[in-house]
Amino acid sequence: MPIALIDCNNFYASCEQLFKPALLGRPVVVLSNNDGCVVARSVEARALGIPMGAPWHTLKELARRHAVVALSSNYALYGDLSDRVMRILSHFSPHQEVYSIDECFLDLTGARPNPTDCGVLIYREVRRLTGIIVGVGLGATKTLAKFANHCAKKRPEFAGVCPLFEMPSREVDRLLAWAPVDEVWGVGRRLAARLEKQGIGTALDLKRAAPARIRSGFSVTLERTVRELNGEACLGLMAGPGQRKQILSSRSFGVLIGALAPLEEAVAAYATRAGEKLRRQGLLAGSVGVFLRTNPFRTDLPQHQGSLTLPLPPTDDTRLLTRAALRGLHSLYRPGFAYQKAGVCLTDLVPADRQQGDLFADRAQEARSRALMAAMDAINRAMGSGTVKLLAEGNDPRRAMRARHRSPRYTTRLDELPVARTVPLAVEQETLPS
DNA sequence: TCTGGGGTCCTAGGACCC
DNA sequence: TCTGGGGTCCTAGGACCC
């Protein structure tokens, strides 16, 4: 039962190039919120040695020398293109797990004419219908599919599709021996360093390690990874997105903030945004967490950070969430510090329709609350987010995110549609296999 | 000057129970 | 001098992912 992992190459950078072909062949990077770090690179930017996650301000000189194009992230565009790619992929299997904005697993058991040819077809169709280039990895387990995908992208002999699941084991081991252990899904920098000390430096070393030893020396999670590398499926495909366990809204401020009042406004705004996400998913929160911290990179300044969680009767009312978040902020806040970031985290989430009833609840009040929130959401959806909001949010322009180089939202805003030249993006049902 | 945001899972250790 | 054994629940922190 082969599992495929399909992953879009340089997804954000590719989305930008798709609508601005002048960017093709040029070093392009896409920056995180606040134009902080590099989160995507075109092939050319990668070739310049620009590392993933690098702070943009440390790269300015290099960027100037090589005329690197830096773009602010445009999630409206990436999200929309992601939806199109995922919809195309969904036609190739009844079992799809959308794992992130640019990748998904497909169960290709019984695929026709066979899984490998199906993989090649996936590659061609996504490219033909969207212009996005994907890598396709086929393995007996999710971890092996991930690894196969890595091979598909890094080794030209596969031309974008690596059918690891049907290769002779000698061949598979040769590939595993070529990859450093931190290329394995679930092994990050720190685990890799610890494994290295025990003589486990490649993916093949990890595959051959004794599961019991890995479990006692590391964790059950890593033991599962070892088993998966050996073809034993430990991780199933997730059908739906699953119910959220936490909803987080946080931001770094444009400038450091010392006074309480602007912090209150920021926290109120985060609580509001978290509340909107909460209602969109039909959930209630039973706890509100708040955190606050100074800039850890400013070693010249005194540091302070704290977090606090307050329980409350399950609710999705922005006013109650905000009130609790502000109470938390008040007990965390210390004057005399320059704060850089704050956030609100909703936990103990329960579906709104399965709420534990409260014998003494004020039904009329609850109905008014629901009606008010529904009205706010409807207005903000129709007329733009923030059209109606709590006074507590304030209107401090310093809180606006830096996004100096955002491209137009080509596919989701009428007034930003590309003019004259069009890119074929429509998905024709009948051209796809049933 | 400028260093993201949003998630998940696991473990260790403390508090508490009988 | 001598100080049990077995369990649960919660939280903070660490690790990972994209």
Side-chain angles (χ1 to χ4, degrees), chain A residues 181 192-202 204-206 213:
Chain A
V181 72
R194 283 173 58 200
L195 285 165
E196 202 98 32
K197 282 203 194 104
Q198 305 204 13
I200 298 172
T202 68
L204 184 61
D205 295 336
L206 187 60
R213 174 186 156 207

Side-chain angles (χ1 to χ4, degrees), chain A residues 66-371:
Chain A
H66 295 95
V68 175
V69 179
L71 298 162
S72 307
S73 28
N74 182 349
Y75 290 105
L77 178 64
Y78 313 148
D80 184 58
L81 285 175
S82 171
D83 288 345
R84 295 172 193 230
V85 171
M86 295 306 165
R87 209 163 56 231
I88 294 166
L89 295 175
S90 73
H91 287 91
F92 289 90
S93 165
H95 305 292
Q96 176 184 35
E97 176 188 341
V98 176
Y99 180 68
S100 75
I101 193 165
D102 74 334
E103 63 189 293
C104 85
F105 291 100
L106 289 181
D107 184 348
L108 290 188
T109 305
R112 280 173 298 168
N114 60 66
T116 302
D117 288 347
C118 186
V120 174
L121 192 61
I122 286 171
Y123 177 93
R124 288 201 200 127
E125 286 298 276
V126 175
R127 181 171 191 173
R128 183 175 73 82
L129 294 167
T130 66
I132 297 283
I133 295 179
V134 297
V136 181
L138 297 141
T141 64
K142 288 171 99 174
T143 304
L144 286 170
K146 270 279 205 182
F147 179 73
N149 179 276
H150 175 69
C151 297
K153 284 185 170 178
K154 298 288 164 176
R155 306 196 49 126
E157 70 262 33
F158 293 117
V161 183
C162 172
L164 198 72
F165 81 104
E166 60 172 18
M167 289 165 55
S169 64
R170 209 163 24 83
E171 276 300 292
V172 174
D173 285 357
R174 196 176 53 81
L175 288 169
L176 287 167
W178 152 80
V181 72
D182 61 355
E183 293 295 350
V184 175
W185 189 37
V187 179
R189 239 188 23 252
R190 289 167 201 264
L191 271 179
R194 283 173 58 200
L195 285 165
E196 202 98 32
K197 282 203 194 104
Q198 305 204 13
I200 298 172
T202 68
L204 184 61
D205 295 336
L206 187 60
K207 175 188 172 183
R208 290 182 174 163
R213 174 186 156 207
I214 294 296
R215 181 182 200 134
S216 62
F218 296 87
S219 67
V220 295
T221 325
L222 194 59
E223 181 197 5
R224 272 201 290 265
T225 300
V226 172
R227 293 184 184 278
E228 284 247 321
L229 283 174
N230 283 280
E232 182 186 336
C234 304
L235 308 169
L237 241 51
M238 311 280 191
Q243 199 210 286
R244 289 258 159 281
K245 301 191 172 159
Q246 63 177 44
I247 288 173
L248 183 72
S249 172
S250 73
R251 282 279 178 283
S252 302
F253 312 132
V255 291
L256 300 181
I257 296 178
L260 181 58
L263 289 174
E264 289 175 330
E265 294 187 353
V267 165
Y270 304 151
T272 298
R273 199 130 34 83
E276 286 165 358
K277 291 189 205 175
L278 190 67
R279 293 191 293 275
R280 210 176 309 140
Q281 306 196 26
L283 299 172
L284 305 176
S287 299
V288 179
V290 196
F291 68 88
L292 179 69
R293 70 163 166 76
T294 50
N295 184 345
F297 295 99
R298 292 292 297 270
T299 46
D300 55 323
L301 294 176
Q303 298 285 318
H304 175 234
Q305 62 167 327
S307 71
L308 195 64
T309 304
L310 297 101
L312 73 175
T315 184
D316 62 0
D317 187 320
T318 291
R319 296 168 299 174
L320 301 178
L321 299 172
T322 303
R323 203 173 299 159
L326 288 176
R327 226 176 26 245
L329 171 68
H330 290 152
S331 57
L332 288 175
Y333 174 77
R334 304 271 179 281
F337 293 94
Y339 291 101
Q340 185 241 358
K341 182 175 182 171
V344 170
C345 183
L346 307 179
T347 49
D348 294 330
L349 307 180
V350 291
D353 54 5
R354 256 181 288 156
Q355 180 195 7
Q356 171 80 53
D358 178 348
L359 188 57
F360 304 107
D362 179 345
R363 298 269 171 257
Q365 171 60 37
E366 282 180 356
R368 279 198 299 276
S369 159
R370 262 199 306 278

Side-chain angles (χ1 to χ4, degrees), chain A residues 27-32 35-42 44-71 405:
Chain A
V28 176
V29 300
V30 177
L31 304 177
S32 63
D35 292 345
C37 300
V38 172
V39 293
R41 307 157 293 164
S42 70
E44 298 76 16
R46 219 175 277 216
L48 289 177
I50 296 176
M52 188 70 162
W56 175 235
H57 72 94
T58 64
L59 298 170
K60 288 268 169 76
E61 177 49 31
L62 178 87
R64 205 186 44 74
R65 264 205 318 277
H66 295 95
V68 175
V69 179
L71 298 162
H405 320 285

